[in-house]
Amino acid sequence: MKRILYDLTSAQPNHGIKVNGGGEYAYRLLWMIAELTKYEIIILLSKNKGDISIGDVAGRDLRKSAYYYKSLNEVEDLINNSKYDALILPVCYPEYGNLNISETQLVITTVHDLSTIYTDYVCNEERYVGLSLKNKIYEYIKHYIFYKTVAQKHINDHQKLLNITKNQLLITVSQYSKYAMEYYLETKQRDIAVLYPFADKEQNYQLSSDLSLIDKYNISSEQFYLLVSCNRWHKNSFFVMKVIDNMINKGIWREKYKVVLTGTDNAHRKFYEKHIKNIEYFVFLEYVDSCVLQELYAKAKALIYPSLYEGFGYPPMEAMKYGTQVIASTATSIPEVCGTNAHYFSPTNAEQLSVAILQSFDIERKHVEKALKEHYRMVRTKQDEDANKLIELIKFKMKENDNE
């Protein structure tokens, strides 16, 4: 039986973040491999991150095979002292480029984005929220004084990872990410498969009545704007808050609307309360469970998605699934995914965002929901097709490896 070592560390909670798009991708790919192949799967987890409950995956109990490591040396020893037909890295962590493993080892790597490189060139006020003074000074010096040196180191680390062996299958999740790799990492001559990331298995969420929203959060259906994952600085939520705060001050905000922010923590709330004048218009929630999040997507007037960078970007599709308007940043892959079905703005241009919001005020759901739902179905179909292509590609590469 073929054996694979599967890195699931991206799904572990870390620095207050429960799970992100990369972690969701890692879970879904693991599920499909377990469901559609007979490979023996050994899960790789980090002792330096929060624990997760793996449970049964497609009818398999993978908890017994989980291997917890503390250092990369342990991972290196594990790979070199045990025979694995493939090492699967569903999220590209550049530090893995330091692994000294056999050049014939098959490594299957997904690059979602080049976030560690992008963050050397972009910044906002939220980047330093929750940091100690010492760490704030360190981050400031690193970003504003030595950013070129730091960026080059990150580029070198990525290049090492993409050349960790001579037997590698490279995958990315958007055309933008593919060409960003060509720009930063000189991958023009590499064969890189562009496959949309997996969509979650569709569930028939039982959306509760509008009264539940009013009772829990004092918001009504169609009378709030939504922002998600707000404790991550590159999601750029504070920029949106400042723009809306200014609109309220100018008297051009519609008073019936509130703004709901999910994924906020105490440090961010204190920061917002210190800098936002009209704080009563904002409703702060921690990370919410899937049912509540789906309800928010379904009943929002619009999702505002101001991200500074993304590899793909799931939330706009989750909103469009319900016919909810999307006001989205023009950064990186977002226009590729949303097509012509979003109000766009530059993620640093307050005037463009203000105008996009003003446009959305007067658009009724019934006039746009059909087109938004159709776009969601189109993207969803491609995600399903690409998921099957990826599994077949992995099977083909594993079989090809046998013949070499």
Side-chain angles (χ1 to χ4, degrees):
M1 180 183 294
K2 294 186 181 299
R3 303 173 74 232
I4 62 172
L5 182 61
Y6 191 95
D7 175 31
L8 196 58
T9 57
S10 58
Q12 293 179 260
N14 194 35
H15 300 302
I17 300 170
K18 290 185 178 180
V19 66
N20 57 21
E24 292 175 1
Y25 176 93
Y27 255 134
R28 294 169 192 171
L29 177 57
L30 174 64
W31 187 279
M32 289 196 70
I33 292 174
E35 188 174 42
L36 300 176
T37 76
K38 295 182 179 179
Y39 303 151
E40 180 185 352
I41 304 170
I42 292 83
I43 301 296
L44 191 62
L45 294 167
S46 172
K47 292 180 180 178
N48 302 317
K49 293 184 176 182
D51 205 0
I52 54 174
S53 176
I54 301 173
D56 287 342
V57 178
R60 298 201 212 180
D61 184 2
L62 298 180
R63 290 168 293 189
K64 297 177 182 178
S65 66
Y67 179 89
Y68 287 82
Y69 72 90
K70 193 165 186 178
S71 70
L72 283 182
N73 287 338
E74 295 176 46
V75 178
E76 190 175 288
D77 290 342
L78 179 66
I79 296 170
N80 289 331
N81 295 330
S82 304
K83 179 171 174 52
Y84 295 103
D85 294 280
L87 167 64
I88 299 183
L89 305 175
V91 173
C92 170
Y93 288 130
E95 56 264 32
Y96 284 161
N98 294 315
L99 292 172
N100 184 16
I101 59 179
S102 170
E103 64 179 20
T104 61
Q105 173 68 60
L106 173 59
V107 179
I108 300 170
T109 306
T110 300
V111 180
H112 295 259
D113 57 48
L114 301 179
S115 56
T116 54
I117 297 173
Y118 298 156
T119 55
D120 296 322
Y121 296 98
V122 298
C123 192
N124 62 21
E125 295 164 89
E126 280 187 280
R127 183 168 187 158
Y128 308 107
V129 173
L131 297 180
S132 66
L133 178 60
K134 179 180 178 181
N135 286 336
K136 284 180 181 178
I137 294 172
Y138 171 77
E139 288 294 328
Y140 186 89
I141 292 173
K142 184 175 74 171
H143 181 76
Y144 287 103
I145 299 177
F146 296 110
Y147 73 94
K148 289 185 178 179
T149 302
V150 174
Q152 189 57 55
K153 178 185 182 302
H154 289 152
I155 289 169
N156 294 341
D157 289 344
H158 276 81
Q159 289 175 329
K160 285 171 63 179
L161 175 60
L162 299 190
N163 293 281
I164 188 173
T165 74
K166 293 183 178 180
N167 188 13
Q168 223 169 344
L169 170 61
L170 293 180
I171 303 147
T172 192
V173 297
S174 66
Q175 292 292 336
Y176 183 92
S177 291
K178 175 183 177 180
Y179 291 108
M181 291 166 67
E182 181 177 330
Y183 178 79
Y184 287 107
L185 307 179
E186 302 175 2
T187 57
K188 185 177 181 179
Q189 306 304 319
R190 302 289 294 271
D191 187 12
I192 302 173
V194 179
L195 299 169
Y196 273 15
F198 313 106
D200 203 355
K201 289 191 174 183
E202 290 195 310
Q203 301 181 43
N204 293 318
Y205 290 100
Q206 297 299 313
L207 301 180
S208 55
S209 69
D210 292 348
L211 291 176
S212 68
L213 288 172
I214 296 170
D215 291 343
K216 287 182 181 179
Y217 312 122
N218 195 29
I219 53 176
S220 301
S221 181
E222 291 281 314
Q223 293 191 7
F224 66 94
Y225 283 73
L226 177 65
L227 292 111
V228 297
S229 301
C230 296
N231 69 335
R232 305 180 66 193
W233 69 266
H234 77 272
K235 297 297 184 182
N236 206 26
S237 302
F238 183 54
F239 167 73
V240 176
M241 294 182 70
K242 288 190 297 182
V243 169
I244 293 174
D245 200 36
N246 183 59
M247 291 176 72
I248 296 168
N249 291 337
K250 291 180 69 173
I252 59 174
W253 179 260
R254 306 284 173 87
E255 291 189 0
K256 69 178 181 178
Y257 293 114
K258 291 192 174 182
V259 183
V260 176
L261 298 91
T262 71
T264 57
D265 53 31
N266 288 332
H268 282 80
R269 291 180 197 183
K270 290 178 181 178
F271 176 78
Y272 298 150
E273 289 168 358
K274 181 179 179 181
H275 293 90
I276 299 297
K277 179 180 179 181
N278 301 285
I279 200 69
E280 67 275 11
Y281 282 84
F282 299 90
V283 179
F284 302 111
L285 307 180
E286 296 180 351
Y287 277 100
V288 296
D289 64 35
S290 295
C291 289
V292 174
L293 185 57
Q294 292 298 315
E295 186 171 1
L296 293 171
Y297 281 132
K299 296 184 177 180
K301 174 68 174 176
L303 168 73
I304 303 179
Y305 199 61
S307 189
L308 294 171
Y309 60 82
E310 293 292 336
F312 183 80
Y314 291 103
M317 291 301 102
E318 292 298 298
M320 289 185 191
K321 176 168 66 177
Y322 298 105
T324 298
Q325 293 184 78
V326 172
I327 302 171
S329 158
T330 54
T332 60
S333 64
I334 298 170
E336 177 184 340
V337 176
C338 295
T340 59
N341 298 278
H343 306 280
Y344 288 111
F345 64 95
S346 166
T348 57
N349 190 307
E351 290 76 16
Q352 288 181 11
L353 175 56
S354 299
V355 170
I357 292 173
L358 289 171
Q359 287 177 315
S360 72
F361 282 150
D362 294 327
I363 296 177
E364 295 183 40
R365 181 180 293 264
K366 65 183 180 182
H367 293 145
V368 296
E369 64 178 344
K370 182 179 179 182
L372 293 174
K373 289 179 178 179
E374 285 178 352
H375 182 71
Y376 164 76
R377 293 306 314 170
M378 182 188 73
V379 174
R380 171 69 195 229
T381 298
K382 178 168 172 52
Q383 287 178 295
D384 291 343
E385 291 173 350
D386 283 0
N388 291 325
K389 287 179 184 177
L390 177 54
I391 294 300
E392 291 305 311
L393 189 57
I394 290 173
K395 288 180 179 178
F396 174 80
K397 192 67 179 177
M398 297 275 279
K399 186 174 181 180
E400 182 184 60
N401 205 49
D402 284 343
N403 298 328
E404 292 181 354

